[in-house]
Amino acid sequence: MAKMVSQCISPRQSFRVPRFSSARPMLSSRLAIGYANPSFCGVKRSNRPSFIAAALDVPKSMSSPNSESSLPLKEVIWAWCNADAVCFDVDSTVCLDEGIDELADFCGAGQAVAEWTAKAMTGSVPFEEALAARLSLFKPSLGQVEDCMEKRPPRISPGIAELVKMLKAKNVDVYLVSGGFRQMIKPVAMQLGIPPENIFANQLLFGTSGEYVGFDPSEPTSRSGGKAVAVQNIRQKCGYRTLFMVGDGATDLEARQPNGADLFICYAGVQMREAVASKADWLIFDFDELIGYLV
């Protein structure tokens, strides 16, 4: 797949051609207007017009392999260079591992939990069902969570720290929207300089002795469609004009909803999920692909 879509559009950086969704004609029209009028209110004015102009000079041979595409590559690039906010999935995106799988493996239930994770990420079962099933297999205590975080700290994906730093330098707000657990995501956010209030994730619940008692069902990300709700809440609260969602799973794709994420970037650098990638606006395998357009 990576070989098939790889093309070079710049002497500095090689980029892969995205796969596009055909279900977003309204956004395509809005972005097309933006090209004709640089002051278009749908996105922020770029502070690097010369680079963007070069990036948008994409040869016709680089059009998406999806013939039904309604969103040309150049419009996605232009929107990315002018985004107001970016929401990142955490497991298999910002981090190399699936947090719940790592915790389960630490607690001795790795394989059984990993099978449920695969079902959840492909969308074959409701997320809330998969989450409850996985946790019931090993019921992690507070002590086990803390020991796991100390002995197996999260592994940050290559390039993500630089990407987040660059986005923040361009005054782009960064969020972590995850079906994982706050207890395991907060250290990652701290390492990347993302404020805790920009974390939208699940919460493990413990009893007075630290024993596992469940998870907070009021968190939007605890159920199917929850990431879409979380992103919609973010957008409504902050009034962002252009917002991206970056992730690897079906729950990340769901965030591309009206009043939610305008565009979905599928990151396949850890896991390649064909069903998700085929519906993405942009398919990437390396965060350097996104960094290159922000330089």
Side-chain angles (χ1 to χ4, degrees):
M1 173 64 72
K3 182 177 180 180
M4 177 184 70
V5 298
S6 179
Q7 294 283 351
C8 181
I9 72 171
S10 164
R12 294 185 64 256
Q13 180 72 42
S14 177
F15 298 90
R16 294 174 176 84
V17 180
R19 306 286 294 273
F20 303 107
S21 167
S22 60
R24 303 197 54 84
M26 292 183 64
L27 177 59
S28 179
S29 299
R30 284 164 48 203
L31 292 177
I33 294 172
Y35 283 109
N37 179 9
S39 63
F40 170 55
C41 64
V43 290
K44 295 187 297 185
R45 183 190 297 269
S46 170
N47 60 357
R48 293 185 179 272
S50 59
F51 182 84
I52 294 176
L56 297 182
D57 187 18
V58 181
K60 292 181 179 179
S61 62
M62 291 188 61
S63 60
S64 168
N66 179 359
S67 61
E68 298 181 357
S69 169
S70 65
L71 196 57
L73 170 59
K74 62 183 181 181
E75 295 184 7
V76 180
I77 296 171
W78 198 81
W80 170 250
C81 293
N82 292 273
D84 289 318
V86 180
C87 296
F88 289 94
D89 172 44
V90 176
D91 297 333
S92 295
T93 302
V94 168
C95 294
L96 293 172
D97 306 300
E98 291 286 332
I100 190 171
D101 290 358
E102 284 295 298
L103 180 59
D105 185 66
F106 183 80
C107 296
Q111 183 173 351
V113 170
E115 291 174 358
W116 272 101
T117 297
K119 295 178 183 179
M121 291 302 100
T122 58
S124 60
V125 297
F127 183 80
E128 59 271 28
E129 179 182 335
L131 181 61
R134 286 179 287 177
L135 288 171
S136 68
L137 289 171
F138 65 107
K139 299 179 179 179
S141 68
L142 177 59
Q144 286 176 315
V145 173
E146 293 175 343
D147 286 347
C148 180
M149 293 300 293
E150 180 180 350
K151 297 176 181 178
R152 297 189 186 181
R155 298 186 299 159
I156 306 297
S157 293
I160 191 64
E162 182 182 355
L163 176 57
V164 170
K165 181 179 180 179
M166 192 167 293
L167 287 169
K168 292 171 64 178
K170 290 172 62 68
N171 296 317
V172 179
D173 291 336
V174 177
Y175 295 85
L176 300 180
V177 181
S178 173
F181 308 116
R182 291 179 184 272
Q183 290 93 335
M184 304 180 74
I185 293 173
K186 283 183 178 179
V188 175
M190 183 178 299
Q191 183 174 341
L192 296 176
I194 299 172
E197 60 267 24
N198 285 17
I199 299 173
F200 290 78
N202 291 315
Q203 184 80 23
L204 288 169
L205 302 177
F206 303 100
T208 55
S209 299
E211 73 278 14
Y212 169 78
V213 297
F215 61 91
D216 186 354
S218 68
E219 293 284 0
T221 53
S222 69
R223 51 189 179 273
S224 291
K227 286 189 178 180
V229 173
V231 173
Q232 287 171 332
N233 290 342
I234 290 170
R235 186 162 196 161
Q236 181 179 10
K237 179 180 178 180
C238 300
Y240 296 124
R241 296 166 296 178
T242 305
L243 185 151
F244 276 76
M245 179 73 202
V246 182
D248 70 296
T251 57
D252 306 308
L253 176 61
E254 289 176 343
R256 192 183 59 188
Q257 295 282 344
N259 300 315
D262 294 300
L263 294 156
F264 169 62
I265 299 176
C266 178
Y267 174 65
V270 178
Q271 295 286 342
M272 176 60 180
R273 309 184 197 280
E274 293 281 356
V276 177
S278 65
K279 298 178 182 179
D281 298 293
W282 192 349
L283 172 61
I284 66 167
F285 296 83
D286 194 312
F287 285 119
D288 286 345
E289 301 184 32
L290 300 180
I291 293 171
Y293 285 114
L294 299 176
V295 174

